[in-house]
Amino acid sequence: MKRRDFLKTSVVAGAALSLNFDGLQAALSSNTIAVEAAPELVAVMGGEPQVMLSKALETLGGIGNYVKKGQKVVVKPNIGWDRAPDLAGNTNPELIKALVKGCLDAGASKVTVFDNTCDNWQKCYQSSGIADAVKTAGGLIVPANDEKYYKEVALPKGVKLKSAKIHEALLEADVWFNVPVLKNHGGAKLSCAMKNYMGIVWDRRFFHSNNLQQCIADICTWDKKPALNIVDAYRMMHQNGPQGKSAADVATIKSLIASTNIVAVDTAALGLFNQVKKLDINAVGHIGLGERLKLGTTDLDKVTIKRIKV
Amino acid sequence: MKRRANYLKGLRVLLAILFFIPILLFFIDFDSKLPDSFHSLLHLQIIPAILGLSFGILAFQLVLVLLFGRIYCSTVCPAGVFQDIINRLFCIGKKKRKGSMRFKYSKPFNLFRYLLASVTLLLAIVGFTELLVWLDPYSNFGRMATNLFRPVVVWGNNMIATILMGMDNYTLHHVTLKTITAAGLIAGGLALLTFVVMTVLRGRFFCNTLCPVGAILSLISKYALFRISFNKSVCNSCGNCERTCKAEAIDSKQMTVDTSRCVDCFNCTSSCVKESLKYRFNPVFKKEKPEEAPLLPSSSNLSYEVNSRRLFLATGATVAITLPVVSVLAKKTQTEADAKEETGERWGPVTPPGSIGLKRFKDKCTGCHICVVKCPTQVLRPAGLEYGLGYMLRPYVSYKSSYCNYECTICSDVCPNHAIMPLTAEQKKTTQVGIATFVIDRCIVYTEGTDCGACSEHCPTQAVHMIPYEGTLTIPKIEPELCIGCGGCESICPVNPLRAIRIKANVTHQFVELPPEEEVKDVVIDDFGF
């Protein structure tokens, strides 16, 4: 007991120390003093996407914590399917609009958005509402439909996937945000933050033929980690994913989860998902494999979480 | 010498530009920037109109020819205009005698051309479109544009796109063409070679020997009310007109114009200093005065006309008599092929939704490849010999790296032959062009024991869905009554080279119900669940 207590205390103390440091920086840059230490994971429920986003960012110390003046930013949503926003096949365009705008307001020199889509890319960009959202916000939506846009990157920590071709916009970026939509998935079982990485690579077929769950975990070991994983669960596809057939596949649960800890964010998202459809975490193999690769923890008790209801 | 303005030629060139440029752009429009309505220009083409049974257009064309002659060949037909462009380019920097005035009268190859045209058309009627595929001017132009000109434009686009991308400008994007096949390239190359060689050597030789449209129009145009003709009293047989005639139809010695071969380019009228040669209202029934037209037994224009008509009818009759034999043979080979395809000995091509069935599609399609150009997922590709000689150059649905978009009906909208019949979005979603077949022995989940599900992921109707397998693994299962054969599953299946899930073509397309509508349930949660 004593040892556990000691460990617990030291972990919390360690976390608190580092977070206090972050808080100090935020305080210096924004001239406000954070009243409490920023949590590791924020979950917001009950508001419109842009409202939940601003609540989450506020709790985490403001977007200035992640985006500095003059930086090149990439926002990577899921735009996989030729589907309208209400069918929840893609990330919510309102969320993307708000995030792109937030980055630009924070002084980003440019904000680029792309996804290696499954359906025809132009149709996906259009039907998802994301192309328009990005343009309205002043960002740049770029094609990802050709191998030409990708460059080989080594993944030394990968088990099965030792290298992958990644979109050059992301290679050039100083900061990136991983902004998946939470949904059911026929192959990976759950599609969330880790699964969203598949849209930054060119050859997805390799994943499927070389242990899909392992490859998903492997690609997440890439050195350049997202500044934040922001899970859109405003509308959630709970069946027939990832493409979905109709509105019957969608539950409007008006939620959003944000964290740098990608394994924790997916574990938390699964908790959300489980309230609508039962899904065993062991079936979503990549979450556990991610933990084994030290990408984060599935033990949410070890994570400081702030839950906010709007 | 002052030359009068040649308004007719100007009008002809203007019309040619108005038809040719949009058609050309439509064929090289690799990114579907142009409105789909441009396809109406393709419906005006005569062979498509015949195969598509567009009687209104055919009647219109008939009236046009009866009134004005073969103006079609110099304006509407993109292959005709293309030959004029080659001719124009060839003449640049050349002396007149070597360039624009290099032609001389030649006798028509009536026996050959009417025979060829009748055989081609009659065979097409009984379902052998092979000859027509190779001879139809519009389709030949389409294949050149699709397989030769379009790649050049795409290449240019990619160059500029790369430069712009460096400046953070993404108005253009890089495009990789997946639809250029060897067969398409060869067919396009052959068409280009034929047009260039024939035009350089003999002007509109293609149009007056090989072209079936030219032959049909010839039969009518010789009765055209307006035609080029000589005023023999003022002509001094200088021969200028003869040398400008790309159709080699003017005999300046005899002062005759073979109206059946004249394509109404009006180059001759401005070359006539004496103003003898003019486009006049000059119907056949208006008898020429005997003193102006001394009947020369050696070469009578009239005897040609009679001959050609007799010839066409005689050939037609002969071919018609042999038809039953040919069609029996055709049916025999056809049923043999079908039988093979049905027993699964050999899988036939998947034909585009709207084509109704393999046989009908083969009979109607002349391989112009406009559907190949317009398909946004590049799933349609021109066939080589993989499905036999009979299917060559027709597009087939190739699931090698892409699939047929669930919501898209563009190929059926643009097909001028109605080889692919127009479909509504709902009809498209219920047309089953083939059925997914699953071979578990090849499936990753079975062979590797790992998750995959790529096939089900891409299935728009969830005809391919995942069912519990071992442990937490799931494996695909197919509901054939939901499958429309879009190939989403096959295109993404990671198993190489032979995929675990493949679309088996329906020789005749079937129809399925739309996936059942599920009730939308209100889900309310007010807890995070973690």
Side-chain angles (χ1 to χ4, degrees):
Chain A
M1 272 314 256
K2 265 186 177 170
R3 196 179 62 172
R4 187 180 289 175
D5 277 345
F6 171 75
L7 284 175
K8 249 188 193 168
T9 327
S10 49
V11 163
V12 170
L17 265 178
S18 63
L19 288 167
N20 273 339
F21 185 65
D22 279 354
L24 185 66
Q25 271 216 331
L28 285 174
S29 60
S30 64
N31 260 339
T32 54
I33 292 163
V35 181
E36 52 184 323
E40 220 182 323
L41 187 145
V42 187
V44 192
M45 185 177 262
E48 289 306 294
Q50 61 276 26
V51 176
M52 294 194 292
L53 175 71
S54 70
K55 271 271 178 264
L57 289 173
E58 198 180 293
T59 313
L60 291 166
I63 194 154
N65 260 357
Y66 308 101
V67 180
K68 303 279 175 281
K69 233 185 172 51
Q71 283 187 322
K72 288 181 197 160
V73 181
V74 162
V75 171
K76 162 63 179 74
N78 184 336
I79 331 177
W81 305 97
D82 179 13
R83 287 284 188 276
D86 55 334
L87 293 178
N90 310 305
T91 306
N92 191 300
E94 291 304 320
L95 176 64
I96 297 302
K97 194 199 279 179
L99 182 59
V100 170
K101 197 161 179 314
C103 294
L104 288 169
D105 290 347
S109 65
K110 83 172 173 185
V111 182
T112 311
V113 179
F114 74 89
D115 189 19
N116 185 2
T117 63
C118 296
D119 280 331
N120 175 281
W121 69 284
Q122 282 150 310
K123 286 180 188 287
C124 291
Y125 280 16
Q126 217 53 52
S127 307
S128 66
I130 290 181
D132 288 339
V134 173
K135 278 175 206 152
T136 319
L140 196 61
I141 184 145
V142 301
N145 61 315
D146 202 284
E147 193 168 359
K148 189 190 155 55
Y149 298 119
Y150 295 79
K151 291 208 168 58
E152 190 92 15
V153 167
L155 299 165
K157 294 177 204 134
V159 176
K160 281 272 181 185
L161 189 71
K162 296 288 186 189
S163 71
K165 282 193 154 183
I166 293 180
H167 198 283
E168 57 189 18
L170 202 47
L171 300 177
E172 284 172 11
D174 301 306
V175 186
W176 73 286
F177 291 94
N178 184 21
V179 198
V181 60
L182 172 62
K183 53 181 178 171
N184 160 256
H185 196 282
K189 310 295 187 312
L190 186 77
S191 177
C192 195
M194 292 180 72
K195 177 72 180 64
N196 197 38
Y197 263 80
M198 272 179 89
I200 69 170
V201 295
W202 172 245
D203 186 9
R204 276 194 290 255
R205 223 192 244 152
F206 181 90
F207 281 55
H208 284 277
S209 52
N210 290 279
N211 192 345
L212 177 67
Q213 304 284 11
Q214 184 63 57
C215 287
I216 294 174
D218 289 352
I219 185 68
C220 297
T221 63
W222 183 40
D223 291 342
K224 195 183 242 177
K225 299 281 186 306
L228 208 52
N229 303 287
I230 304 169
V231 176
D232 163 33
Y234 185 81
R235 297 188 191 89
M236 182 185 77
M237 186 189 293
H238 55 82
Q239 61 185 17
N240 291 323
Q243 194 175 163
K245 287 195 296 187
S246 67
D249 302 328
V250 180
T252 306
I253 59 171
K254 297 195 177 182
S255 305
L256 180 143
I257 308 170
S259 174
T260 47
N261 187 329
I262 197 165
V263 177
V265 104
D266 275 8
T267 311
L270 179 65
L272 207 51
F273 188 90
N274 257 321
Q275 298 184 98
V276 183
K277 278 278 157 70
K278 281 281 163 256
L279 180 60
D280 182 9
I281 191 163
N282 294 316
V284 195
H286 60 263
I287 300 183
L289 294 167
E291 186 174 40
R292 204 179 297 170
L293 287 170
K294 301 193 169 56
L295 296 171
T297 175
T298 55
D299 186 356
L300 295 182
D301 293 338
K302 287 184 186 157
V303 181
T304 52
I305 300 177
K306 172 89 180 166
R307 296 175 180 83
I308 303 166
K309 287 201 178 172
V310 182
Chain B
M1 176 186 78
K2 209 177 165 193
R3 190 171 282 186
R4 287 191 317 138
N6 187 344
Y7 294 115
L8 282 171
K9 182 179 172 181
L11 184 66
R12 184 264 295 177
V13 172
L14 180 72
L15 283 173
I17 290 170
L18 287 180
F19 280 102
F20 184 79
I21 301 288
I23 293 176
L24 178 69
L25 289 178
F26 199 52
F27 267 99
I28 58 178
D29 177 30
F30 58 90
D31 200 28
S32 297
K33 287 274 182 277
L34 296 176
D36 294 344
S37 54
F38 272 49
H39 72 82
S40 44
L41 287 173
L42 311 183
H43 289 280
L44 290 175
Q45 304 298 322
I46 286 184
I47 294 294
I50 293 175
L51 290 170
L53 304 176
S54 313
F55 296 112
I57 287 165
L58 290 175
F60 171 74
Q61 298 285 11
L62 178 75
V63 171
L64 206 66
V65 187
L66 268 178
L67 282 174
F68 304 115
R70 285 169 64 180
I71 184 80
Y72 173 89
C73 302
S74 284
T75 54
V76 181
C77 176
V81 178
F82 184 68
Q83 290 173 76
D84 288 349
I85 295 171
I86 297 173
N87 186 47
R88 186 69 184 254
L89 294 175
F90 176 77
C91 293
I92 292 173
K94 288 200 176 60
K95 287 199 178 116
K96 279 192 172 170
R97 284 299 169 108
K98 299 248 174 192
S100 60
M101 292 179 76
R102 68 184 185 280
F103 304 105
K104 68 174 203 296
Y105 175 78
S106 74
K107 285 190 175 167
F109 293 87
N110 280 348
L111 178 66
F112 176 76
R113 70 168 169 149
Y114 290 124
L115 191 70
L116 183 64
S118 354
V119 170
T120 307
L121 291 170
L122 288 167
L123 279 181
I125 290 167
V126 295
F128 264 108
T129 33
E130 276 69 25
L131 259 180
L132 192 60
V133 167
W134 288 101
L135 294 178
D136 172 33
Y138 158 70
S139 299
N140 270 302
F141 176 80
R143 289 195 290 267
M144 276 192 305
T146 306
N147 302 301
L148 302 177
F149 307 158
R150 185 178 58 131
V152 174
V153 175
V154 167
W155 179 76
N157 166 79
N158 290 352
M159 295 259 290
I160 302 171
T162 309
I163 297 168
L164 287 180
M165 212 169 73
M167 302 187 277
D168 261 345
N169 183 330
Y170 288 89
T171 29
L172 295 182
H173 56 266
H174 197 93
V175 174
T176 300
L177 287 182
K178 297 185 261 185
T179 54
I180 305 296
T181 61
L185 265 177
I186 292 169
L190 262 177
L192 182 64
L193 191 73
T194 309
F195 287 138
V196 169
V197 170
M198 287 199 169
T199 307
V200 165
L201 295 179
R202 302 284 300 271
R204 288 295 198 103
F205 195 63
F206 173 86
C207 311
N208 285 324
T209 48
L210 297 176
C211 180
V213 181
I216 305 170
L217 295 184
S218 285
L219 288 170
I220 310 166
S221 75
K222 64 175 82 161
Y223 305 108
L225 299 184
F226 287 88
R227 56 177 65 214
I228 307 267
S229 58
F230 281 90
N231 177 356
K232 294 181 182 174
S233 55
V234 293
C235 174
N236 62 357
S237 291
C238 73
N240 276 351
C241 53
E242 182 174 332
R243 284 188 285 272
T244 59
C245 182
K246 294 175 295 193
E248 303 180 332
I250 302 177
D251 184 345
S252 59
K253 296 280 174 310
Q254 304 293 335
M255 299 183 213
T256 57
V257 180
D258 181 356
T259 318
S260 80
R261 283 186 287 158
C262 170
V263 291
D264 284 349
C265 75
F266 307 118
N267 285 353
C268 54
T269 51
S270 49
S271 73
C272 182
V273 249
K274 294 280 179 189
E275 290 184 31
S276 155
L277 205 64
K278 269 189 180 159
Y279 191 57
R280 304 184 164 90
F281 180 71
N282 190 10
V284 182
F285 51 77
K286 207 169 104 180
K287 282 275 186 300
E288 290 177 40
K289 285 172 198 157
E291 67 267 23
E292 272 188 30
L295 270 172
L296 295 169
S298 56
S299 75
S300 158
N301 201 18
L302 247 144
S303 72
Y304 272 129
E305 287 176 20
V306 174
N307 276 347
S308 61
R309 194 176 56 199
R310 277 193 196 144
L311 194 63
F312 186 77
L313 291 175
T315 330
T318 319
V319 177
I321 290 162
T322 54
L323 269 187
V325 184
V326 177
S327 63
V328 164
L329 283 174
K331 278 215 181 77
K332 193 164 170 274
T333 44
Q334 188 58 45
T335 42
E336 272 169 12
D338 286 354
K340 267 189 184 169
E341 272 151 24
E342 263 156 30
T343 53
E345 232 178 282
R346 182 164 64 94
W347 285 14
V350 178
T351 58
S355 59
I356 299 173
L358 177 60
K359 172 80 177 77
R360 184 186 169 281
F361 184 59
K362 246 187 333 200
D363 293 354
K364 292 272 181 194
C365 174
T366 49
C368 74
H369 297 172
I370 189 66
C371 55
V372 173
V373 175
K374 292 293 143 187
C375 177
T377 57
Q378 300 199 44
V379 75
L380 292 173
R381 295 180 192 188
L385 290 170
E386 57 267 53
Y387 298 114
L389 206 59
Y391 201 76
M392 201 174 169
L393 296 181
R394 271 71 159 202
Y396 69 102
V397 192
S398 163
Y399 300 126
K400 213 173 143 201
S401 60
S402 54
Y403 54 99
C404 180
N405 185 294
Y406 190 52
E407 311 276 342
C408 178
T409 56
I410 182 85
C411 58
S412 69
D413 297 336
V414 296
C415 179
N417 295 20
H418 292 316
I420 313 173
M421 292 291 278
L423 292 178
T424 63
E426 171 149 352
Q427 285 169 329
K428 151 69 187 277
K429 290 177 189 170
T430 52
T431 300
Q432 186 189 57
V433 297
I435 302 181
T437 52
F438 177 54
V439 181
I440 189 168
D441 297 348
R442 289 203 282 264
C443 180
I444 291 283
V445 182
Y446 173 85
T447 56
E448 309 290 320
T450 57
D451 273 314
C452 177
C455 49
S456 156
E457 190 179 320
H458 281 68
C459 181
T461 64
Q462 286 300 297
V464 183
H465 59 109
M466 304 302 283
I467 55 164
Y469 184 56
E470 288 166 0
T472 59
L473 291 179
T474 52
I475 202 154
K477 182 171 186 293
I478 297 165
E479 308 298 338
E481 67 279 4
L482 284 179
C483 179
I484 58 165
C486 74
C489 52
E490 179 177 336
S491 73
I492 200 71
C493 177
V495 185
N496 275 322
L498 205 52
R499 300 195 170 153
I501 195 160
R502 284 171 70 211
I503 304 298
K504 185 169 188 241
N506 282 342
V507 177
T508 305
H509 292 181
Q510 304 295 313
F511 299 94
V512 296
E513 298 283 315
L514 278 175
E517 289 262 332
E518 278 179 77
E519 208 187 319
V520 183
K521 282 182 223 139
D522 254 343
V523 182
V524 184
I525 37 173
D526 52 1
D527 195 25
F528 289 98
F530 57 88

